[in-house]
């Protein structure tokens, strides 16, 4: 604008102010003449003149309503819909989603006239928290770049202040409609579904959970490309990017589609990637069978939750031949009942109901149901795993991902339950014996078992077999998956047969159930194990007094399984019952009084320890300890009892007691396992940490040194566990004031991690920080400073400004500056850091800043930074 | 301890008003550092208490920056005027910082008003205002300067009049125009329409 025009404009403005508002229009018309632009500008200036403004209040103001540009309450949004938004002209309304109206639009000034979709908040929800959530959506989506995810182009606010997004316009139809419309067969459906998985997996890798996967959010284009839409309620996993205003809303307010929501979402529990796995499971169910896994006669949250958790969905292969009531799928609209006829469903898949059922039976049934497990951790560990298993099913290979999971569980379980291996031996024996028992029509199984137990040959054979299967000799490595599967398959086939034959012999049937349950437990198949044990418990309960010892035994095992499933409350109930029964059985005679009580005691102690009920656990643990002392030295139950007691003492922060117990357990374990077993390193490590807590640093260093040696021998020089130990050793050395030794350990650890974890492992950065902390303490402040600056340059962008390690490095950098007397620079860094730390408050950092100010002669500032809750005195 | 701390801001101010240009060179960074430190201290404090009055920061900052009894009204006005520029810088930096922290790196550029509030004045508004003020300064330096002194410096009409060298009535008139122009400018940005003042 030219200078004279500028002056002219203000002259008119000032004159207009003198005139009553009603006469202004005429005045402006007369004054501005032909210059309509000038007139409009002055009109606008006059219009805003009376409005409230952010300028009316000085700069610092307390937190208040977000939109300070709007005076007073947010203006009422006009009910009519706009014809354009920003540079976009709205063409037609496409639909209305949970939080917004969706329009098809075109950018007028765009040479390509690209068509886009504009999503706009529903006016009646305009004052809700929805704008915020939409804002979040915009940020999240912008970070995602994948051909299977609809792009976000732009975003802004309408004149009325309502946020909108401009997104890629996906022409196509919802995935379920697309599949039926094109009569895709099962392999084609699976193929398409896998590509959806790819996109979801991509989002997960970028720490985004979709949270609302359903057909209407998954479009397929005419070219057959699936596109995910609407990350409307996705939330970043990365807490640093999850802006604080994204406070969790009550789940039920979320525009979730219950049919596809996971139990934890309905319950309002934590939502993880496993929730998306669940929703994908529902989707796959729908694509395969044309139905939803669950039916909800009533749609209250309580009913839905109950159904989702308690009712196992029917196997896909079972529903495709049955004609039933239509599922309640509000999402796709109620389909005509006709479409749910098995013939029609099958025909949309180019097959017949019977053929479809055959196709789904087995692998696909298992895969879908695994994705639909109520407990998140029992589903696939990732979408990738899920997809991989589908590929295997398509290629007719055995489902490897499930086997992998099982093997992992089995090995992990065995690591925790080395004592169970003895029991397992007995159990396999009992199965072997059982064959003999069957042959000889014997009825007293237990006695026979005792006899055979004495036969060393058999025992050794079975032990070797077990070692082969589970690789117990080296629990940290090895490959025993094949055999594990064989055992399981054998069980699956023979179990029902045996059970059927023994229908009239409940005692033996219970024995078989108990035995197979134990095997399942040791294979990590906890649901099946629980099933068998529950059945065994029921049978044995019905058998009355005679079966009480066996009932106790089954209850004890069941409690352990429940504990491993994370169902601690039930585990406690069962374990308490087992112990009560065991006490009733205990006759107190020297020969008998040991064994029957130990396992139930130990079981209950385990449960109480995980509930952190140390007060209740302790007397029981002591009782078990006293009982095990009568056992032979090499009985694995003895170290177990000691370790339980040690865990209790550790939990109550009585570290010196814990130290004694760890040492005793260690001595026994050494006798049982030999000197070179990786399990010893675990105990030694705990011992070392307890010693460090006691400030017995010399001993801690010695013990940790042992851990290192042991790990190097049993796991190899380059095992990731070794890094951890080196880091612990460095920490102990630092605590002893021996910074140069600490430095060496940290350097070794960092070198090792570089080799084993690759150069991008974030813990390398952590170790670098520790290295420079040691250097600082060695008086090499300048070196430390330069090193830290280099490290920060390398890691800052990779980890992001808010990463804990970045904060640590900056703090340390400030300390190196303080040590060099460069106080103003240090101040700058610390203040920056403080600005970045939102919540929780950082008492240590505040204290350091306050100290710095006091040091420099700024008592008021020092006080300002102190005027916060007293930090704990550990610094 | 380095002897120059705490900086004798009042002394520097008096020296500057007596014509010592070097004193100004020392004065600016010294005031800036103290303002920044106070602002951040306040923000921490405010978050834990929510009892801070809006104008506290500005007033207390000034009270602690100089010993008012030692300086004349004239000096004080000039000092406040200078400080208002620094205050603007401190707050805009702070807002920009929060802004980038919240958005993360390399993420799509989104309109400012949509970024959500931070604890002090909404960061987005501050940044938008800063931008608009720069625009205004291109057209009319005095207008922008008056806004800066009043909004970021908390100067009253008479103080501004003293610094700019115009009558108090002129200050009021100019303020009203500047305010309208900024208001319209911000609203235009709000609508995401390119300005039409060419």
């Amino acid at each position: 604008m030219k200078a004279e025009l500028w002056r002219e404009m203000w002259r008119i403005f000032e004159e207009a102010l003198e005139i009553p508002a009603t006469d202004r229009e005429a005045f402006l018309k007369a004054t501005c003449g032909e210059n309509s632009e000038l007139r409009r500008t002055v009109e606008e200036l006059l219009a805003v003149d009376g409005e409230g403004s952010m300028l009316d209040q000085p700069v610092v103001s307390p937190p208040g309503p977000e939109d300070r540009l709007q005076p007073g309450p947010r203006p009422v949004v006009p009910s009519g819909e706009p014809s354009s938004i920003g540079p976009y002209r709205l063409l037609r309304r496409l639909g209305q989603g949970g939080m917004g109206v969706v329009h098809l639009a075109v950018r007028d000034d765009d040479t390509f006239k690209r068509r886009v979709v504009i999503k706009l908040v529903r006016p009646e929800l305009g004052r809700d928290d929805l704008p915020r959530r939409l804002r979040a959506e915009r940020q999240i989506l912008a970070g995602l770049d994948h051909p299977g995810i609809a792009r976000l182009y732009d975003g802004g606010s309408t004149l009325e202040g309502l946020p909108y997004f401009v997104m890629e316009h996906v022409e196509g139809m919802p995935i379920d409609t697309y599949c039926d419309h094109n009569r895709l067969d099962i392999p084609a459906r699976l193929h398409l579904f896998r590509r959806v998985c790819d996109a979801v997996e991509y989002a997960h890798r970028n720490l985004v959970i979709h949270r609302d996967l359903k057909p209407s959010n998954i479009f397929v284009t005419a070219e057959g490309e699936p596109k995910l839409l609407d990350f409307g309620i996705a939330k970043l996993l990365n807490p640093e990017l999850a802006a604080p205003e994204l406070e969790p809303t009550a789940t039920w307010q979320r525009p979730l589609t219950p049919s596809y929501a996971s139990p934890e979402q309905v319950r309002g529990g934590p939502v993880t990637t496993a929730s998306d796995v669940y929703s994908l499971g529902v989707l796959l169910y729908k694509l395969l069978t044309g139905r939803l896994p669950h039916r909800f006669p009533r749609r209250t949250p309580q009913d839905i939750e109950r159904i989702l958790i308690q009712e196992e969905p029917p196997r896909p292969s079972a529903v495709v031949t049955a004609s039933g009531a239509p599922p309640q799928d509000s999402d796709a609209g109620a389909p005509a009942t006709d479409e749910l006829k098995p013939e029609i469903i099958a025909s949309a898949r180019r097959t017949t109901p019977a053929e479809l059922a055959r196709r789904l039976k087995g692998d696909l049934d298992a895969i879908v149901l695994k994705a639909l497990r109520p407990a998140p951790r029992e589903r696939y560990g990732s979408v990738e795993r899920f997809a991989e298993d589908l590929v295997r099913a398509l290629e007719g290979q055995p489902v490897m991902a499930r086997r992998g999971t099982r093997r992992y569980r089995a090995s992990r379980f065995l690591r925790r339950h080395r004592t169970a291996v003895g029991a397992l031996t007995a159990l396999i024996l009992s199965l072997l014996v059982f064959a003999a028992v069957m042959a000889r029509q014997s009825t007293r199984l237990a006695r026979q078992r005792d006899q055979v137990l004495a036969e060393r040959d058999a025992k050794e054979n079975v032990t070797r077999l077990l070692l082969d299967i589970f690789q117990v000799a080296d629990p940290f490595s090895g490959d025993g998956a094949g055999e594990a599967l064989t055992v399981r398959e054998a069980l699956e086939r023979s179990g029902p047969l045996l059970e059927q034959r023994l229908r009239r012999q409940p005692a033996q049937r219970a024995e078989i159930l108990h035995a197979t349950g134990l095997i399942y437990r040791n294979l990590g198949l906890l649901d099946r194990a629980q099933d068998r044990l529950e059945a065994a418990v029921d049978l044995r309960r019905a058998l009355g007094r005679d079966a009480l010892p066996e009932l106790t035994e089954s209850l004890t095992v069941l409690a352990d399984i429940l504990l491993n499933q994370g169902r601690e409350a039930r585990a406690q109930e069962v374990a308490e019952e087992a112990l009560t029964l065991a006490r009733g059985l205990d006759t107190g005679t020297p020969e008998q009084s040991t064994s029957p009580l130990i396992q139930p005691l130990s079981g209950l102690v385990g449960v109480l320890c995980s509930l952190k009920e140390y007060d209740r656990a302790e007397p029981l643990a002591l009782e078990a300890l006293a009982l095990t002392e009568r056992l032979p030295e090499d009985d694995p139950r003895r170290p177990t009892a000691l370790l339980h007691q040690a865990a209790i003492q550790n939990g109550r922060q009585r570290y010196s007691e814990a130290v004694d117990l760890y040492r005793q357990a260690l001595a026994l374990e050494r006798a049982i396992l030999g000197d070179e077993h990786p399990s010893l390193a675990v105990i030694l490590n705990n011992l070392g940490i307890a010693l460090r807590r006691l400030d017995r640093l010399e001993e801690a260093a010695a013990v940790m040194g042992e851990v290192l040696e042991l790990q190097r021998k049993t796991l190899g020089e380059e095992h990731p566990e070794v890094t951890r130990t080196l880091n612990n050793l460095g920490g102990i050395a630092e605590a002893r004031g021996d910074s140069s030794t600490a430095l060496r350990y940290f350097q070794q650890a960092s070198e090792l991690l570089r080799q084993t974890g690759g150069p991008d492992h974030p813990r390398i950065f952590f170790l670098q920080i520790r290295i420079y902390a040691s250097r600082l303490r060695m008086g090499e402040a300048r070196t430390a400073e330069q090193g830290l600056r280099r490290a920060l340059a390398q890691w800052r962008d990779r980890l992001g400004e808010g990463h804990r390690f970045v904060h640590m490095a900056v703090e340390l950098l400030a300390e190196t500056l303080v040590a060099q007397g460069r106080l103003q620079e240090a101040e700058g860094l610390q203040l920056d850091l403080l600005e970045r730390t939102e919540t929780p408050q950082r008492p240590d950092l505040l204290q350091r800043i306050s100290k710095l100010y006091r040091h420099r002669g700024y008592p008021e500032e020092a006080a300002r930074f102190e005027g916060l809750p007293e930090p704990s005195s550990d610094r | 301890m380095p002897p120059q701390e705490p900086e004798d801001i009042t002394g520097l101010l008096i020296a500057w008003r007596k014509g010592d240009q070097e004193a100004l060179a020392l004065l600016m960074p010294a005031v800036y550092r103290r303002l920044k430190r106070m602002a951040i201290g306040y923000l921490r404090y405010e978050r834990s208490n929510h009892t801070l009055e809006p104008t506290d920061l500005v007033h207390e900052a000034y009270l602690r920056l100089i010993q008012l009894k030692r300086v004349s009204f004239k000096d004080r006005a000039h000092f406040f005027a200078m400080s208002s520029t620094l205050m603007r810088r401190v707050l805009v930096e702070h807002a920009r910082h929060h802004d980038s922290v919240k958005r993360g790196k390399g993420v799509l550029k989104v309109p400012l008003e949509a970024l959500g509030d931070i604890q002090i004045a909404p960061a987005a508004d501050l940044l938008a205002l800063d931008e608009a003020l720069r625009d205004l300064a291109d057209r009319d330096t005095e207008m922008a300067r008056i806004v800066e002194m009043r909004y970021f410096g908390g100067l009253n009409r008479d103080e501004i009049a003293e610094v700019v060298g115009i009558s108090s009535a002129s200050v009021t008139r100019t303020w009203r125009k500047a305010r309208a122009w900024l208001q319209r400018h911000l609203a235009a940005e709000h609508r995401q329409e390119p300005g039409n003042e060419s």
Side-chain angles (χ1 to χ4, degrees):
Chain A
M1 187 182 282
K2 296 232 166 53
E4 57 264 34
L5 196 57
W6 175 260
R7 277 195 300 274
E8 174 74 357
M9 178 181 86
W10 288 120
R11 194 184 54 75
I12 299 171
F13 174 78
E14 287 189 339
E15 277 177 33
L17 283 180
E18 306 294 315
I19 299 169
T22 45
D23 301 341
R24 282 181 193 165
E25 199 184 326
F27 167 76
L28 289 177
K29 211 175 234 172
T31 326
C32 298
E34 291 301 295
N35 195 339
S36 62
E37 198 179 310
L38 175 67
R39 190 175 129 199
R40 217 185 79 205
T41 309
V42 176
E43 271 170 0
E44 284 172 11
L45 286 168
L46 288 167
V48 295
D49 176 62
E51 275 182 14
S53 166
M54 72 185 278
L55 294 166
D56 297 339
Q57 278 201 322
V59 70
V60 181
S61 54
E66 295 171 25
D67 198 349
R68 289 180 166 275
L69 287 172
Q70 303 288 353
R74 204 178 267 276
V76 180
V77 174
S79 54
E81 284 182 4
S83 61
S84 71
I85 293 175
Y88 302 94
R89 186 157 48 86
L90 302 187
L91 298 178
R92 64 188 156 92
R93 188 171 161 144
L94 292 175
Q96 184 149 357
M99 50 171 75
V101 185
V102 183
H103 289 276
L104 183 65
V106 66
R107 193 183 165 109
D108 269 343
D109 54 356
D110 191 339
T111 12
F112 300 106
K113 297 274 176 218
R114 184 169 58 190
R115 287 191 166 203
V116 295
V117 160
I118 293 194
K119 202 171 144 191
L120 187 68
V121 179
R122 297 208 319 252
E124 63 269 31
L125 293 174
R127 294 195 54 167
D128 226 33
D129 61 334
L130 285 168
R132 258 191 217 164
R133 283 194 279 167
L134 282 171
R135 244 173 254 159
E137 179 176 12
R138 187 161 60 194
Q139 294 182 24
I140 294 163
L141 253 186
L144 297 177
D145 181 10
H146 187 276
I149 296 174
R151 288 296 295 169
L152 175 87
Y153 293 130
D154 198 0
S157 290
T158 64
L159 273 170
E160 292 78 30
L162 301 179
Y164 67 87
F165 305 99
V166 185
M167 296 192 284
E168 181 178 350
H169 177 224
V170 180
E171 284 189 78
M173 47 179 99
I175 187 166
D176 52 345
T177 318
Y178 174 88
C179 287
D180 288 349
H181 191 261
N182 290 290
R183 293 190 64 215
L184 296 189
D185 61 9
I186 295 298
R189 280 168 195 250
L190 290 175
H191 184 72
L192 189 61
F193 179 78
R194 263 190 52 223
R195 304 195 42 204
V196 173
C197 288
D198 285 348
V200 177
E201 171 68 19
Y202 168 85
H204 285 182
R205 274 202 308 275
N206 283 279
L207 307 181
V208 177
I209 302 172
H210 191 295
R211 290 174 169 230
D212 196 15
L213 289 166
K214 56 185 175 185
S216 61
N217 277 338
I218 304 167
F219 265 51
V220 183
T221 64
E223 294 78 40
E225 308 285 330
K227 289 254 186 200
L228 270 88
L229 316 175
D230 197 1
F231 273 71
I233 44 175
K235 187 174 136 197
L236 288 177
L237 280 174
N238 189 340
E240 164 205 340
L241 293 174
E245 61 257 351
L246 284 175
E247 75 277 356
T249 47
T251 304
W252 210 245
Q253 288 168 7
R254 289 198 177 116
L256 276 178
T257 308
S259 303
Y260 290 83
S262 60
E264 63 269 22
Q265 280 169 294
V266 173
R267 199 173 40 230
V271 175
T272 66
T273 53
S275 314
D276 279 353
V277 169
Y278 185 93
S279 300
L280 285 172
V282 180
L283 175 66
L284 183 57
Y285 199 105
K286 180 89 197 294
L287 294 182
L288 294 178
T289 67
R291 292 161 195 267
L292 289 167
H294 290 288
R295 270 194 262 153
F296 307 111
R298 288 187 309 161
R299 303 199 128 211
T300 69
Q302 295 77 19
D303 285 334
I304 292 173
E305 186 188 344
R306 186 182 51 71
I307 287 168
L308 285 182
I309 289 167
Q310 290 179 4
E311 289 183 12
E312 191 170 317
R315 282 177 289 112
S317 61
V319 299
V320 292
T321 50
S323 44
Q328 310 232 332
D329 186 358
S330 67
D331 184 46
T337 38
D338 240 17
E339 285 173 22
L340 281 154
K341 280 190 181 152
E343 293 74 26
I344 290 171
I345 287 172
S347 144
R349 287 150 186 78
R350 296 181 188 267
T351 182
T352 63
E355 188 54 42
L356 181 58
R358 245 194 310 284
R359 180 76 231 240
L360 299 180
K361 204 173 173 72
D363 280 351
L364 287 174
D365 274 348
I367 289 172
V368 172
L369 291 183
K370 182 172 174 67
L372 291 176
R373 295 269 151 77
R377 72 202 142 74
E378 289 174 15
R379 296 172 206 149
Y380 285 101
S382 68
V383 175
E384 203 179 1
R385 286 266 174 88
F386 188 4
E388 281 169 5
D389 234 9
L390 283 172
V391 175
R392 290 195 195 93
L394 271 172
E395 293 173 353
Q397 291 174 13
V399 282
M400 291 295 288
R402 294 170 67 216
R403 197 157 83 175
T405 313
R406 206 175 299 129
R407 181 179 137 207
Y408 167 71
R409 279 198 194 155
S411 70
R412 191 183 52 172
F413 192 85
L414 282 177
R415 228 175 292 159
R416 280 201 308 268
H417 291 265
R418 277 171 302 102
T419 54
V421 174
L424 184 62
T425 311
L427 158 80
I428 294 272
L429 273 172
S430 76
L431 274 181
L432 292 178
V433 168
F434 186 73
V437 169
M438 290 300 288
R440 284 191 278 132
Q441 310 269 312
S442 168
T443 50
R444 295 308 300 165
L445 178 76
R447 291 212 183 108
Q448 294 291 335
R449 183 181 65 185
D450 289 343
Q451 280 174 20
V452 183
L453 262 171
E455 293 172 19
R456 279 194 69 93
D457 266 10
K459 190 174 179 184
E460 268 171 24
N461 273 338
V462 171
T463 309
R464 197 160 48 239
L465 173 71
L466 281 169
L467 291 182
D468 284 348
I469 293 171
F470 302 116
Q471 299 286 301
V472 181
D474 188 0
F476 289 83
S477 70
D479 187 351
E483 278 82 0
L485 207 76
T486 318
V487 169
R488 189 188 139 226
E489 275 167 1
L491 270 183
E492 305 250 290
R493 285 189 200 124
S494 59
L497 208 71
L498 287 172
E499 281 178 39
Q500 201 177 7
R501 281 203 205 153
L502 290 171
R503 228 176 333 183
R504 284 161 211 284
Q505 286 129 300
Q508 288 160 35
R509 220 178 121 212
E511 184 73 10
I512 291 289
L513 284 166
H514 181 99
T516 44
L518 266 177
I519 294 181
Y520 278 128
R521 182 192 74 167
N522 291 310
L523 289 170
L525 299 168
L526 298 177
D527 287 353
R528 285 164 199 262
Q530 183 204 341
D531 241 42
R532 302 303 186 281
L533 262 306
E534 302 255 18
V537 164
D538 287 347
L539 281 172
R540 287 177 167 171
R541 236 190 256 288
L543 285 170
R545 282 205 60 82
D546 287 348
L548 277 183
E550 287 81 9
L551 175 59
T552 311
E553 209 180 319
S554 291
L555 285 168
T556 308
V557 177
L558 179 59
D560 180 60
I561 291 164
L562 290 166
L563 183 60
N564 278 288
Q565 288 174 313
R567 299 164 65 180
E568 283 150 347
R570 264 225 69 203
Q572 187 182 355
E573 260 171 49
V574 175
E576 303 259 17
E577 189 190 349
L579 184 59
T580 313
L581 284 176
R583 288 203 194 281
L585 292 169
D586 186 12
T587 57
T589 56
E591 307 82 57
Q592 206 225 339
S593 62
T594 52
S595 337
L597 271 180
I598 293 175
Q599 290 299 70
L601 274 172
S602 166
L604 186 54
V605 169
V607 175
L608 292 170
C609 278
S610 29
L611 290 165
K612 294 198 162 58
E613 289 193 20
Y614 301 119
D615 288 343
R616 268 217 65 205
E618 190 167 14
L620 300 172
L622 285 172
E623 192 182 346
L625 205 55
L627 289 172
T628 52
E629 271 163 14
R630 302 185 206 168
L631 295 170
E633 285 273 319
D634 62 348
D635 191 306
R637 284 174 289 183
R638 292 192 59 173
T640 302
L642 285 165
L643 289 172
H644 270 148
Q645 181 64 7
I648 292 169
Q649 299 306 329
N650 219 2
R652 308 174 103 183
Q653 300 178 332
R654 293 199 204 130
Y655 300 118
S656 59
E657 285 86 348
V659 163
D660 286 347
L661 290 158
Y662 281 129
R663 285 202 194 281
Q664 290 175 42
L666 209 52
L668 290 175
E669 289 282 37
R670 280 208 163 102
I672 298 167
L673 300 169
D675 279 333
E676 295 184 5
H677 194 282
S679 300
L680 294 177
V682 178
I683 304 172
L684 277 167
N685 185 61
N686 289 344
L687 172 62
I689 290 170
L691 284 167
R692 200 199 146 163
R693 293 215 170 107
L694 286 168
D695 247 3
R696 284 156 67 178
L697 299 172
E698 235 87 326
E699 289 168 82
V703 167
M704 216 43 98
E706 257 186 277
V707 175
L708 184 64
E709 203 182 321
L710 193 56
Q711 283 176 336
R712 282 181 167 160
K713 266 191 211 155
T714 57
L715 303 172
E717 290 279 340
E718 297 185 353
H719 196 279
E721 297 271 321
V722 177
T723 317
R724 197 180 308 254
T725 308
L726 285 168
N727 177 48
N728 285 345
L729 275 165
I732 294 168
E734 198 62 86
R736 294 169 77 190
D738 185 355
S739 295
S740 60
T741 305
L743 178 66
R744 269 209 317 282
Y745 282 128
F746 293 140
Q747 281 171 337
Q748 283 178 39
S750 136
E751 198 38 52
L752 180 60
L753 190 56
R754 221 182 281 277
Q755 285 165 23
T756 56
D760 294 332
H761 199 295
R763 280 191 75 83
I764 290 178
F765 184 36
F766 173 75
L767 288 164
Q768 281 175 331
I769 296 168
R770 296 205 80 168
I771 286 170
Y772 296 122
S774 299
R775 287 225 180 268
L776 174 62
R777 259 161 237 139
M778 289 161 72
E780 299 172 26
R782 180 92 188 125
T783 317
E785 182 208 334
Q786 288 165 343
L788 280 168
R789 288 195 195 277
R790 272 198 308 275
L792 271 167
Q794 188 189 348
W795 291 94
R796 193 172 232 147
D797 284 350
R798 210 175 300 170
L799 296 178
E801 205 56 61
H803 196 282
R804 170 168 79 89
F805 292 165
V806 174
H807 282 201
M808 281 172 68
V810 174
E811 269 184 77
L812 187 62
L813 185 58
E815 282 187 56
T816 65
L817 293 170
V818 171
Q820 296 175 68
R822 289 151 64 186
L823 301 181
Q824 280 180 7
E825 285 174 73
E827 177 193 1
L829 283 178
Q830 287 178 339
L831 290 181
D832 270 1
L833 207 54
L834 198 58
E835 269 186 292
R836 248 176 258 143
T837 331
E838 294 283 333
T839 43
Q841 300 267 359
R842 289 284 314 275
D844 52 333
L845 179 59
L846 291 171
Q847 212 182 39
R848 223 171 297 153
I849 294 175
S850 138
K851 206 171 119 193
L852 185 73
Y853 283 142
R854 219 172 272 292
H855 191 50
R856 290 172 62 188
Y858 291 116
E860 300 108 315
E861 272 93 341
R864 175 72 76 201
F865 285 91
E866 267 169 4
L868 291 157
E870 273 297 297
S872 58
S873 57
D874 58 357
R875 275 241 163 213
Chain B
M1 242 335 60
Q4 79 270 21
E5 292 191 74
E7 298 97 344
D8 180 8
I9 289 173
T10 313
L12 287 172
L13 177 65
I14 292 168
W16 168 48
R17 289 296 293 161
K18 281 181 182 154
D20 182 352
Q21 286 307 303
E22 249 173 66
L24 180 63
L26 290 173
L27 187 60
M28 296 275 283
V31 172
Y32 177 71
R33 275 198 303 275
R34 285 211 81 179
L35 275 177
K36 182 167 166 100
R37 151 191 336 152
M38 274 188 271
I40 295 172
Y42 258 113
L43 296 181
R44 307 305 304 177
Y45 189 69
E46 186 185 30
R47 271 174 224 178
S48 53
N49 288 302
H50 293 288
T51 53
L52 192 67
E53 286 301 313
T55 51
D56 275 1
L57 171 58
V58 180
H59 290 159
E60 196 185 325
Y62 290 163
L63 285 175
R64 298 233 316 272
L65 278 170
I66 52 168
Q67 293 142 296
L68 290 172
K69 282 184 194 144
R70 274 177 68 194
V71 295
S72 65
F73 167 79
K74 222 176 167 143
D75 287 344
R76 197 162 65 199
H78 281 273
F79 175 73
F80 288 173
M82 181 194 80
S83 302
S84 65
T85 310
L86 298 172
M87 184 71 84
R88 174 175 164 194
R89 227 170 92 194
V90 166
L91 292 168
V92 166
E93 266 174 26
H94 183 80
R96 188 166 293 137
H97 184 85
H98 270 265
D99 186 26
S100 66
V101 165
K102 277 183 189 250
R103 264 191 304 169
K105 281 203 172 62
V107 178
L108 184 92
K109 207 169 168 244
V110 290
L112 291 167
E113 90 283 359
L115 287 170
D117 51 341
I118 62 161
Q119 309 288 346
I120 161 185
D125 291 355
L126 266 185
L127 293 178
L129 177 64
D130 183 54
E131 197 66 41
L133 264 178
R134 257 183 273 175
D135 245 23
L136 181 58
D138 286 345
R139 293 163 220 274
D140 194 321
T141 331
E142 192 178 283
M143 264 191 195
R145 187 76 186 106
I146 287 174
V147 173
E148 186 176 81
M149 285 188 274
R150 170 141 178 185
Y151 184 66
F152 288 100
L155 273 74
N156 64 30
R157 201 170 59 155
D158 298 338
E159 286 162 341
I160 295 174
E162 157 64 30
V163 173
V164 184
I166 54 175
S167 71
S168 295
S170 293
V171 171
T172 308
R173 265 206 318 278
T174 314
W175 163 252
R176 188 168 181 182
K177 289 189 284 188
R179 183 181 171 284
W181 189 87
L182 287 168
Q183 193 69 358
R184 174 178 164 274
H185 194 86
L186 291 170
E189 192 164 289
H190 197 58
R191 285 199 299 271
Q192 276 205 314
E193 277 171 12
N196 58 344
E197 48 289 277
S198 52

